[in-house]
Amino acid sequence: MTEKHRAPISLKNVGVCYNMRLSRKRGLRKTIAKGARLDAQGKFWALRGITLEVQEGEILGVVGANGAGKSTLLATLAGILTPDAGSIAVYGSIATLLQLGAGFDDELNAEENILLVGAFLGIPGSVMKKKIPAILEFADIGDFSRSEVRTYSSGMRARLGFAVATAVNPDVLLVDEVLSTGDATFREKARRRILDLMKHARAVVYVTHDLESAKEICNRAIEMEDGKIIADGPARKIITAYERKMRTRGGPHASAASPKRTQSTPLRRRARKG
Amino acid sequence: MASSSHRLTVGRPALGPVGTIRETIKSVVQRRRLLLYLTIARVRKDGGNTIIGNFWLILDPALQLVIYYFLVGIVFNRPQPDFPLFLFAAILPWRWFTTALSSATESIRARNKVMRQIAFPQIVLPLSAIAASGTGFLFGLIPLFSLYLVYTDRLTIWVTALPLVAAVQILWTLPFAILFSAISVFVRDIGNFLRHALRLLFYVSPALFSYERIEGILGPNPPAHLLLDLNPMAHILTAYRNILYEGRAADWGVLLIVALASIPFTIFSIYLFRRLAPSFVKVL
C-alpha cells in the first residue's frame, strides 16, 4: 500500500487490561467495584476487541457513559498505553488534548515550560522557540510570562496548557473534552483553534459529553460501552440514537438532549478540577 | 502538512533485547533537550523556596563536612592528617551517589501527570535525577577546592583526573538509578528500604575511614571482606581519595575493571526498565 492510502489510525482487535494486583489506586478500585469486567486472574479489561479504522479526513466522535473506555482508547491511540492484545498503528505526528498543562513544572516560567512541554512532545527546540511569542499571546497571561507557573491561577495555567498543546499542527489530533477551558472569550477562541486544527489534521478522534457540538463537528461517531464499540456510523445517526437510549434508560445523559444541560456539565466538571 | 512523511508513531513492533537497548539510547539522545530542561527544573526546585536559594548547593556539603568532622575527628578521635580534606574527598562523591539514587527512585512517580498525557521515553526521568544531583556535586567542588587554600601541598596534577573517576561513578549510578526508579512504581517501599541500604553501604565504604582501616576491621571476616571487594563505591571512593587527598595516581587497573563491570548491569537495567515501562501509566 502506498503512504497515501494508508489509514492514519487502525486498530485490530485491541485490548488494554489492568492488572488489579499491581495497582493500588483507590479510584480504579472503585471503578471495578462493579466487578463486571474483572476476570479470574484479577485483570480488568478497559478495552476489549476494538477494531477500528479512521480514514483520512475523518473526525470521529466517541460517546459513551463514564468508564466506557473512551479515555483509555485515546491514551492507547496516543501511545501512552500499550495494547495488551491486538495491534495498533498510528501514522504521523500526534497531538493530545487530554489534561491541559500536565507537563508543566511549577518552578519554571512560561517560556521555559513551553520549551519543556515541547521537549516532552519531541518537537525540536528551534521550532518551539519560534512559537513562544504566538503561544504567549494566545494564552494571554500578560506580565506573568516571566514568573514561575506555580504563581499562576488555574485559569492561566489551563490557557497556557491549551496554547502549548495546540501550537503545532498535528497529523492526528486526539481531543478529550477541552472545549470548556477558561472564560467565555477564551472558550470561543479555543473552540476556533480546535476547529482549525481539526480542519488541517488527517484524522481526529474527539471524546466528549457535549453531544450537540459532537453532532456538529464530527462526520463519524462510535458509541462505547464496557470497553467495546457497540455502534459505529455517521455522527448524527449514532449520537441521536445514543441520546434516545440514554433518555429511556435514565442514565447519566438522561437529559443530554437539552442544550442547557449539555453546556453546564463540562463546565462544572472543569470548575471542580480547577 | 500533507506532504510530511507519515511515519508510524504508535504501534511499532516489539524489538528484541538488543534492539530495545539501541532504541532506548537513541531516544534519549533525541530527547537530550528534555533531559536538560528537567535537570534545570530539578536543580531549581531544590533551592527554590529557600531564602538563600541555590547557595544551599554549596552550603549543604560544607555543613555535612563539619558534622562528620565533629563526629569522627573529635568524638571518635580518629583523625587523619589534614582530616577535613580526607573526609571531603569521599563524602562529596558519596553525597552525589545517594542523592542521585534517592531522587531517581522518586522520579517516575513524581511525573505521573505528564506520563498520562504525553508518550515520551520515560527513562529520561531517572537520568535527569542523576544529572541534577551531579550539579550539586559540581557546586560541592567549590568548598572542596577552598580546602586547598589551607592544605596547599595536597593539590597536585592528579586532581585533573577527577572527571575520569566521576565518569566511573556515573557508570555505576546509572544501573541502580534506572532499576530503582522502575521498581518503585510497583513497590513504593523501595524508597524506605533504600535509605537504610545506603546507610549501611556508607559504613562499609571507605568514606569516614580509609580503605585500609575498613579492611582492617572487616579483614578477619571473609563474608564482610567480600562485601567490601564487591562494593564498587569502595573502589571509586578510594580513587577519589588517591587523587584529591593523597595526590597520587589512582589504581587505574582496578578502576577500569570496576568501569567495565558496570556495563552488564546497565544493559540489564535498561532492558528491565523497558519491559516494565508499558505498565507505569496503568499502575501510577
Side-chain angles (χ1 to χ4, degrees), chain B residues 36-256:
Chain B
L36 176 72
Y37 298 140
L38 286 173
T39 306
I40 294 171
R42 202 183 277 272
V43 170
R44 225 178 271 178
K45 183 169 277 160
D46 292 341
N49 295 319
T50 51
I51 295 167
I52 55 171
N54 285 342
F55 187 63
W56 275 112
L57 284 171
I58 300 169
L59 198 60
D60 251 346
L63 287 177
Q64 200 177 15
L65 171 69
V66 172
I67 289 167
Y68 280 122
Y69 180 80
F70 173 75
L71 183 75
V72 183
I74 295 171
V75 178
F76 292 167
N77 197 18
R78 287 277 163 78
Q80 305 266 346
D82 301 343
F83 193 56
L85 188 64
F86 172 88
L87 265 184
F88 215 44
I91 285 177
L92 193 62
W94 179 264
R95 239 179 96 79
W96 178 18
F97 184 66
T98 51
T99 49
L101 287 196
S102 49
S103 68
T105 305
E106 304 294 317
S107 62
I108 304 265
R109 275 192 282 140
R111 293 272 173 190
N112 71 72
K113 260 168 96 185
V114 68
M115 286 175 44
R116 270 175 239 241
Q117 198 194 6
I118 302 169
F120 65 97
Q122 292 124 339
I123 203 161
V124 298
L125 298 175
L127 297 187
S128 80
I130 299 177
S133 42
T135 314
F137 176 71
L138 289 178
F139 277 100
L141 292 177
I142 296 172
L144 176 76
F145 282 102
S146 309
L147 288 177
Y148 286 124
L149 297 175
V150 184
Y151 312 109
T152 36
D153 51 329
R154 295 269 175 190
L155 185 64
T156 65
I157 190 72
W158 288 110
V159 169
T160 54
L162 187 68
L164 209 62
V165 184
V168 178
Q169 183 179 343
I170 292 175
L171 286 179
W172 269 104
T173 313
L174 275 172
F176 291 115
I178 293 170
L179 208 64
F180 288 143
S181 70
I183 296 174
S184 83
V185 174
F186 304 93
V187 189
R188 301 202 169 185
D189 321 55
I190 196 107
N192 305 46
F193 163 77
L194 186 70
R195 268 208 313 276
H196 299 289
L198 285 172
R199 201 87 206 146
L200 176 69
L201 200 62
F202 180 67
Y203 291 119
V204 298
S205 295
L208 299 181
F209 310 103
S210 69
Y211 188 88
E212 289 71 29
R213 186 183 289 275
I214 299 264
E215 206 179 21
I217 298 166
L218 299 178
N221 188 342
H225 197 274
L226 193 68
L227 204 65
L228 185 66
D229 286 338
L230 291 180
N231 174 4
M233 281 312 280
H235 305 291
I236 293 168
L237 293 181
T238 305
Y240 275 114
R241 196 164 271 156
N242 287 339
I243 61 165
L244 295 175
Y245 171 75
E246 285 155 23
R248 62 183 171 90
D251 192 339
W252 301 120
V254 170
L255 214 56
L256 183 69

Side-chain angles (χ1 to χ4, degrees), chain A residues 84 90 92 99 105 120, chain B residues 7 9 31 44 111 117 282:
Chain A
D84 298 285
V90 180
Q99 243 183 12
D105 191 289
F120 269 125
Chain B
R7 58 191 179 82
T9 36
R31 302 286 176 118
R44 225 178 271 178
R111 293 272 173 190
Q117 198 194 6
K282 291 180 184 174

